[in-house]
């Protein structure tokens, strides 16, 4: 084991040792005193069949996940209590549908070459007088390599791409599941598990370098994710009726009052690779080793209750798990972009429609374009995360909280750089000086500060409950093609308002209310930069203001044993929506079955197109697009890759992932 690995597990070992010592209560006996363990065991099967993607291909079986979960509680010595949740799963889709998600996934690809019949400078695409029309070329067949070799052009393979290091096999075209290249950039992305294909594999913060066994059984890894929860807790009585509540160990800390949207609820990262945004947050939060203390002050002259909570996340940093390219769920399709870019840096490759004004597929060698390094924060006291929350209930029943958190962004930020040696321009033969690395990045996770609050209250006249959250975050980083470094720091305000109302709907149940719950999320980016370039918009791809609404209608029938539910969500700026009808049947107290679907809608995808930096000029003269182009200026030549995913959002990028599903849950 390397020193780096030892350093990464040391804080977990220390906290685990302290936890076990607390459980033992200082006793020399190997068994616990007090009550016996209370243990519940659950089994769940979740099966999903996925419809046709953008290419018309039907993936078929996209989930056959079998989960065993054990929940255990025990009273310990000295009024301590232990709680544990242990979960393991196996998803058979990786073996049963290996041509889509396993060791046989992907294949040979072709990439768009819209320049087709001609090359820059009027050079004809001809060989021995025979006209050649190449609207598409195979991976490894772009300018500087196979095309240049066939035509004998000057500067042939000037960038040194070696197809042997990145062969045309086990690949998909970037973004093919949700859009066509349509004149934009694209490249091949490896999609097989990393023990079958190492190309582009990186640790992006807990994902990106997983083997087949880790994709199929994600809880069993070196971060001990099978320990969903394992903590001890105790309430210490203080003077004047006050208490100090302490919870130590692996846990989830929930600050939010709303569903789906993470405004305040950002202490634990989230595993979106499990089921995109469609699982409950309690099932997809990634537990962390946390020390939590809560000073319970009780009532005052004008408050029914008051609490002050301190949360110290002592675990090593974890990012949101967005999904490894080739797995069944890849949030925003981001994992495919990351893996494809890492592969380009390591091995070189072909980029569609890059040269000659964005029309000719171009081959690049290693260390010229892509993602070079991922800077994951090492464990140290300075890299731990700490938060404070004050909450109370007023005499008139208003429940509120004031929150502050200093933490690491759980989403990556890409910082452009240029450090490569000079290369020869294949068109002119000129030396590119220090401008050889064209669009290359390191990945960072910046430090953030968040302040905010929440409240919920009843509106008796309307028969409804209102939930509200707001958070102001300082120092977030966003892609920005108007900056030389291709990112900017901006402050962000996020708010969400939810309204819950039980309502009689006679055709569902005339004797029982139906729950109607609506939410509206708003995100505002301060100092947003967006301007017109000669060819299109330049600056920040994220919308200055984003709005997402959700609606839940949940009925209860047959003595509450059957519950039909409709969930709707709409991203107003992305012009994308999802509808998820489902029926839950409690066959018995121990057996529950859910049958449902989720179907996405999108009003086209051309409005996601944005400056893709083919016409950026961060490092002249090599990246200069036109005469007189200033340093750092972009002309705004646009495509759906790589930035369009941030406009499409999680619904728009998955609008061709229409699923039907079956879930069986049994309590032993």
């Amino acid at each position: 084991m390397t020193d780096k690995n030892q350093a990464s597990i040391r804080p977990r070992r220390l906290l685990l040792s302290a936890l076990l010592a607390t459980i033992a209560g200082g006793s020399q006996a190997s068994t616990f005193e007090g009550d016996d363990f209370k243990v519940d065991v659950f089994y769940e099967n979740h099966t999903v069949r996925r419809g046709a993607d953008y290419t018309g291909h039907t993936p078929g079986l996209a989930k056959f996940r079998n989960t065993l979960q054990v929940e255990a509680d025990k009273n310990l010595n000295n009024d301590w209590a232990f709680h544990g949740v242990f979960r393991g799963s196996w998803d058979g889709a990786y073996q049963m549908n290996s041509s889509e998600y396993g060791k046989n996934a992907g294949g040979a690809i072709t990439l768009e070459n819209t320049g087709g019949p001609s090359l820059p400078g009027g050079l004809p695409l001809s060989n021995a007088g025979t006209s050649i029309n190449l609207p598409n070329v195979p991976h490894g067949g772009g300018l500087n390599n196979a095309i240049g070799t066939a035509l004998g052009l000057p500067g042939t393979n000037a960038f040194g791409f070696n197809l042997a290091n990145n062969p045309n096999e086990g690949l998909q075209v970037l973004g093919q599941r949700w859009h066509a290249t349509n004149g934009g950039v694209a490249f091949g992305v490896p999609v097989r598990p990393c023990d079958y294909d190492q190309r582009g594999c990186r640790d992006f913060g807990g994902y990106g370098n997983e083997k087949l066994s880790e994709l199929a059984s994600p809880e069993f890894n070196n971060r001990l994710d099978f320990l969903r929860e394992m903590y001890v807790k105790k309430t210490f009585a203080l003077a004047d009726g006050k208490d100090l509540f302490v919870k130590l160990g692996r846990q989830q800390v929930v600050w939010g009052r709303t569903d789906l949207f993470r405004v305040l609820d950002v202490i634990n990262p989230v595993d979106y690779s499990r089921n995109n945004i469609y699982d409950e947050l309690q099932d997809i939060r990634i537990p962390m080793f946390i020390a939590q203390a809560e000073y319970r002050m009780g009532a005052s002259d004008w408050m029914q209750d008051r609490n002050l909570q301190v949360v110290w996340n002592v675990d090593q940093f974890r990012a949101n798990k967005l999904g490894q390219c080739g797995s069944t769920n890849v949030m925003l399709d981001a994992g495919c972009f990351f893996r494809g870019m890492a592969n380009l840096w390591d091995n070189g490759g072909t980029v569609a429609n890059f040269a000659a004004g964005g029309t000719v597929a171009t081959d690049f060698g290693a260390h010229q374009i892509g993602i070079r390094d991922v800077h994951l924060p090492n464990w140290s006291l300075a890299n731990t995360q700490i938060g404070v929350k004050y909450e109370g209930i007023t005499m008139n029943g208003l429940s509120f909280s004031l929150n502050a958190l200093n933490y690491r962004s759980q989403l990556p930020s890409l910082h452009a750089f240029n450090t490569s040696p000079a290369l020869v321009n294949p068109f002119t033969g000129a030396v590119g000086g220090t401008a050889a690395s064209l669009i290359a990045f390191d990945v960072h996770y910046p430090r953030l500060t968040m302040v905010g609050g929440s409240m919920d209250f009843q509106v008796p006249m309307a028969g409804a409950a209102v939930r509200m959250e707001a958070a102001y975050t300082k120092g977030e980083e966003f892609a920005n093609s108007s900056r030389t470094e291709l990112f900017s720091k901006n402050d962000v305000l996020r708010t969400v308002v939810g309204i819950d109302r039980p309502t009689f709907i006679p055709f569902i149940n005339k004797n029982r209310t139906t729950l109607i719950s609506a939410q509206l999320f708003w995100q505002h980016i301060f100092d947003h930069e967006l301007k017109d370039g000669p060819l299109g918009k330049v600056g920040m791809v994220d919308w200055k203001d984003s709005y997402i609404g959700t609606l839940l209608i949940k009925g209860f029938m047959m003595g509450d044993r059957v519950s039909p539910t409709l969930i709707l969500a709409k991203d107003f700026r992305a012009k994308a929506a999802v509808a998820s009808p489902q029926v839950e049947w409690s066959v018995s107290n121990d057996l529950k079955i859910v049958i449902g679907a989720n179907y996405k809608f999108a009003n086209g995808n051309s409005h996601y197109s944005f400056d893709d930096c083919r016409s950026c000029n961060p490092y002249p003269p090599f990246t200069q697009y036109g005469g007189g182009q200033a340093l750092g200026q972009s002309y705004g030549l646009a495509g759906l890759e790589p930035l369009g995913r941030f406009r499409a959002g999680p619904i728009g990028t998955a609008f061709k992932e229409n699923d039907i599903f079956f879930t069986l849950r049994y309590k032993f």
Side-chain angles (χ1 to χ4, degrees):
M1 182 178 293
T2 65
D3 292 340
K4 181 178 180 180
N5 288 334
Q6 288 279 14
S8 70
I9 66 174
R10 189 175 298 119
R12 299 196 299 279
R13 279 183 175 171
L14 292 174
L15 191 56
L16 189 58
S17 297
L19 176 62
L20 294 174
T22 304
I23 293 174
S27 172
Q28 295 181 356
S30 60
T31 58
F32 299 125
E33 297 179 4
D35 299 334
D36 291 335
F37 271 105
K38 178 182 180 297
V39 177
D40 292 314
V41 181
F42 301 87
Y43 165 76
E44 181 183 271
N45 172 269
H46 181 60
T47 301
V48 176
R49 188 184 189 281
R50 183 161 294 165
D53 63 20
Y54 195 88
T55 67
H57 174 71
T58 300
L61 184 69
K63 187 73 66 179
F64 187 70
R65 185 180 65 217
N66 298 272
T67 302
L68 191 67
Q69 181 164 307
V70 179
E71 300 179 5
D73 292 275
K74 181 177 176 59
N75 293 323
L76 307 176
N77 300 330
N78 302 320
D79 296 323
W80 284 92
F82 168 81
H83 175 72
V85 177
F86 312 97
R87 186 178 78 186
S89 64
W90 175 75
D91 189 348
Y94 292 96
Q95 282 81 17
M96 299 164 68
N97 197 5
S98 63
S99 62
E100 293 292 335
Y101 304 112
K103 62 183 181 180
N104 300 315
I109 62 169
T110 60
L111 294 157
E112 225 177 46
N113 182 59
T114 56
S118 64
L119 287 174
L123 292 171
L125 268 175
S126 60
N127 188 9
T130 302
S131 176
I132 302 175
N133 191 330
L134 295 173
N136 295 283
V137 296
H139 167 79
L143 180 69
N144 304 333
N145 204 343
I147 294 177
T149 300
L151 303 176
L153 296 176
T156 295
N157 201 18
F159 286 1
F161 174 45
N162 185 350
L163 191 60
N165 295 332
N166 188 10
N168 192 7
E169 58 186 39
L171 301 175
Q172 289 182 0
V173 178
L174 178 65
Q176 71 173 45
R177 65 182 179 86
W178 65 283
H179 70 80
T181 303
N182 198 28
V185 296
F187 41 81
V189 183
V191 291
R192 294 172 181 171
C194 288
D195 50 339
Y196 289 91
D197 190 343
Q198 274 289 321
R199 290 178 293 174
C201 291
R202 291 276 200 287
D203 182 2
F204 287 100
Y207 69 99
N209 61 348
E210 293 172 298
K211 302 181 295 184
L212 177 62
S213 60
E214 293 170 323
L215 294 172
S217 299
E219 291 87 1
F220 299 103
N221 55 30
N222 65 354
R223 297 301 299 264
L224 309 179
D225 284 347
F226 68 92
L227 300 176
R228 294 290 301 160
E229 295 180 10
M230 191 178 73
Y231 59 78
V232 293
K233 60 183 179 179
K234 180 177 179 178
T235 300
F236 296 87
L238 305 177
D240 302 324
K242 297 178 174 61
D243 294 322
L244 178 65
F245 172 76
V246 176
K247 184 192 289 187
L248 304 170
R250 185 98 175 209
Q251 57 185 287
Q252 303 179 38
V253 177
V254 182
W255 273 7
R257 297 175 186 263
T258 56
D259 302 320
L260 181 64
F261 304 111
R262 301 180 71 231
V263 176
L264 294 172
D265 189 16
V266 294
I267 294 177
N268 293 81
V270 169
D271 180 5
Y272 291 111
S273 71
R274 182 173 170 87
N275 195 27
N276 207 311
I277 60 174
Y278 305 109
D279 272 4
E280 297 287 343
L281 280 171
Q282 66 182 14
D283 293 323
I284 61 175
R285 287 190 195 93
I286 300 173
M288 305 289 282
F289 283 102
I290 292 173
Q292 179 184 161
E294 187 173 302
Y295 179 39
R296 297 174 174 173
M297 295 172 279
S300 69
D301 292 340
W302 57 283
M303 298 280 287
Q304 295 184 43
D305 200 7
R306 300 166 298 158
N307 299 309
L308 180 66
Q309 181 188 68
V310 177
V311 176
W312 184 19
N313 183 348
V314 300
D315 213 339
Q316 188 183 9
F317 171 77
R318 293 285 293 271
N320 287 338
K321 192 172 181 180
L322 302 181
Q324 177 172 301
C325 194
S327 62
T328 56
N329 292 290
V330 186
M331 169 72 95
L332 292 175
D333 202 35
C336 288
F337 171 62
F338 297 155
R339 185 171 183 180
M341 288 286 280
N343 181 42
L344 285 176
W345 179 262
D346 292 342
N347 302 304
T350 305
V351 181
N353 303 323
F354 193 92
T359 62
V360 176
T362 307
D363 287 354
F364 294 95
H367 301 169
Q368 294 162 21
I369 190 170
I371 290 176
R372 178 181 63 176
D373 289 324
V374 182
H375 296 277
L376 294 172
N378 293 322
W379 188 89
S380 68
L381 285 177
N383 276 332
T384 58
Q385 305 170 72
I386 191 164
V388 179
K389 177 177 74 169
Y390 176 83
E391 61 182 345
I393 303 175
T394 65
M395 288 300 182
N396 61 4
L398 173 71
S399 178
F400 72 93
S401 73
L402 300 173
N403 307 63
L405 180 67
N406 185 263
Y407 70 114
R408 287 276 183 179
S409 171
Q410 294 157 357
L411 292 173
S413 173
L414 272 63
H415 295 192
F417 71 91
N418 176 49
T419 58
S420 295
L423 292 177
V424 177
N425 188 316
F427 303 144
T428 66
V431 175
T434 60
S437 66
L438 303 180
I439 309 296
F441 302 92
D442 285 342
V443 176
H444 294 261
Y445 292 88
R447 193 90 187 185
L448 306 177
T449 300
M450 181 269 286
V451 294
S454 68
M455 67 174 65
D456 60 63
F457 54 90
Q458 302 290 326
V459 184
M461 293 183 61
V466 178
R467 299 169 284 117
M468 304 176 69
E469 288 184 43
Y472 182 92
T473 308
K474 187 174 183 59
E476 294 197 37
E477 296 181 355
F478 296 88
N480 188 338
S481 62
S482 68
R483 301 287 188 94
T484 301
E485 60 274 21
L486 300 182
F487 80 96
S488 60
K489 286 182 176 288
N490 298 78
D491 296 348
V492 182
L493 175 66
R494 295 182 177 91
T495 67
V496 62
V497 178
I499 300 175
D500 305 321
R501 189 182 191 278
T503 306
F504 279 104
I505 302 178
F507 75 87
I508 296 178
N509 191 334
K510 62 182 180 180
N511 300 315
R512 176 77 156 84
T513 57
T514 295
L515 174 63
I516 299 178
S517 177
Q519 298 181 123
L520 181 64
F521 170 84
W522 170 48
Q523 174 181 284
H524 175 76
I525 301 175
F526 292 90
D527 301 318
H528 189 272
E529 297 180 13
L530 187 65
K531 58 187 178 182
D532 291 321
L535 301 175
K537 295 291 185 182
V538 174
M540 297 177 63
V541 61
D542 295 81
W543 309 103
K544 180 178 180 179
D545 292 283
S546 301
Y547 308 92
I548 301 175
T550 66
L551 178 64
L552 166 72
I553 303 173
K554 185 177 182 65
F556 302 90
M557 306 169 65
M558 298 178 62
D560 293 351
R561 290 219 174 254
V562 175
S563 180
T565 303
L566 176 63
I567 302 172
L568 303 172
K570 181 174 177 62
D571 187 331
F572 293 96
R573 297 308 304 268
K575 301 179 183 178
V578 59
S580 180
Q582 52 190 271
V583 177
E584 179 183 294
W585 177 27
S586 295
V587 181
S588 68
N589 292 335
D590 298 325
L591 176 62
K592 182 183 295 184
I593 293 174
V594 182
I595 299 174
N598 58 70
Y599 191 87
K600 292 86 173 177
F601 309 84
N603 185 17
N605 55 27
S606 60
H607 53 288
Y608 305 150
S609 184
F610 195 79
D611 183 8
D612 53 31
C613 233
R614 282 176 292 174
S615 61
C616 286
N617 189 31
Y619 312 119
F622 198 83
T623 57
Q624 192 166 344
Y625 184 81
Q629 185 179 13
L631 173 65
Q633 181 184 14
S634 176
Y635 279 11
L637 183 62
L640 285 174
E641 295 293 345
L643 298 180
R645 56 182 32 85
F646 300 113
R647 291 200 157 197
I651 300 176
T653 54
F655 86 102
K656 282 296 183 178
E657 292 183 353
N658 296 317
D659 299 336
I660 57 174
F661 63 86
F662 168 86
T663 302
L664 180 149
R665 183 175 174 87
Y666 185 77
K667 178 183 177 181
F668 291 93

